[in-house]
Amino acid sequence: MQADTPTPLLVLWDIDHTLIDAGTVARQAYAEAFRKATNLTLEQPWQFDGRTELAAATDALRAHGLDPDADLLDAFTDLLIAEHLDRAGDLVADGRALPGAADALTAVGAVPGVRQSVLTGNLYSLAVLKLEVFGLDRHIDFRLGAYGGDAFERADLPAHAFKRTERHLGHRHSGADTVIIGDTLRDIATAHAAGARIVAVATGTDSVAELRAAGADIVLPDLTDTCALQRAVTEGGRPS
């Protein structure tokens, strides 16, 4: 008898405050990139709230009275990447992988039929950098992800991931066979917009109660219980 083929399942991870804490390095990199791109000091605090990098950079320029035309926006985002790369050592020293992150990626990656990538507000190069420096990239297929340079609105990112699965795997995923794992209300709203399941972890600024009220299918306090995470990903029911 031929063994059943595992049902393909795409698991898309948020990065910041779900898998890692980048510490203060990001704020330093944004401030210096802004200064180099505009010759101005970044006076308005950068908003780290789950938006895409395109949205955050556009809003920062507008908040300082600047027109975010394509040339300036491209220059700014290119500098964001360069400044983060220059601070890779500081990122390791000041940041950290969150508790259970490495084991969580290993556990989910061991599920038959699962392919893991990211759905993140980070630009592609920053997503790769952040996971590589903390040794969390081994189970991630970056070809399949969606990134902060793909779209202005985070809710538009899943469509980019689905197109990439078709291109690289020959199977176009949809919300029906996708699970998003993240820590913010934006992650939940994005999953709902795509028709995907959402596993929320209360490792960011949003509480367990807030994540549940926003409609997360499953809420975990963190990533340390790998068995609960596997059940949440594969079964879709609330872990006991």
Side-chain angles (χ1 to χ4, degrees), residues 70-131:
D71 289 341
L72 179 56
L73 192 58
D74 287 347
F76 187 16
T77 53
D78 286 348
L79 284 164
L80 285 176
I81 294 170
E83 292 297 324
H84 277 85
L85 291 173
D86 286 347
R87 291 169 171 78
D90 295 334
L91 181 60
V92 174
D94 192 51
R96 65 189 177 111
L98 289 177
D103 288 342
L105 287 164
T106 299
V108 174
V111 176
V114 163
R115 298 299 293 264
Q116 296 186 96
S117 192
V118 296
L119 191 147
T120 174
N122 286 280
L123 299 167
Y124 172 84
S125 297
L126 300 187
V128 174
L129 171 69
K130 288 179 177 181
L131 294 186

Side-chain angles (χ1 to χ4, degrees), residues 13 17-20 98-105 181 199-203 220-227 229:
W13 291 84
H17 304 296
T18 297
L19 291 171
I20 72 161
L98 289 177
D103 288 342
L105 287 164
I181 305 176
V199 177
V201 288
T203 45
L220 301 174
D222 54 38
L223 296 174
T224 57
D225 188 340
T226 55
C227 290
L229 178 62

Side-chain angles (χ1 to χ4, degrees), residues 14 50-52 119-121 152-158 186-187 190:
D14 175 54
R51 291 179 299 168
T52 69
L119 191 147
T120 174
F152 189 88
E153 298 295 342
R154 191 180 184 101
D156 293 331
L157 293 183
R186 288 184 190 272
D187 292 307
T190 297

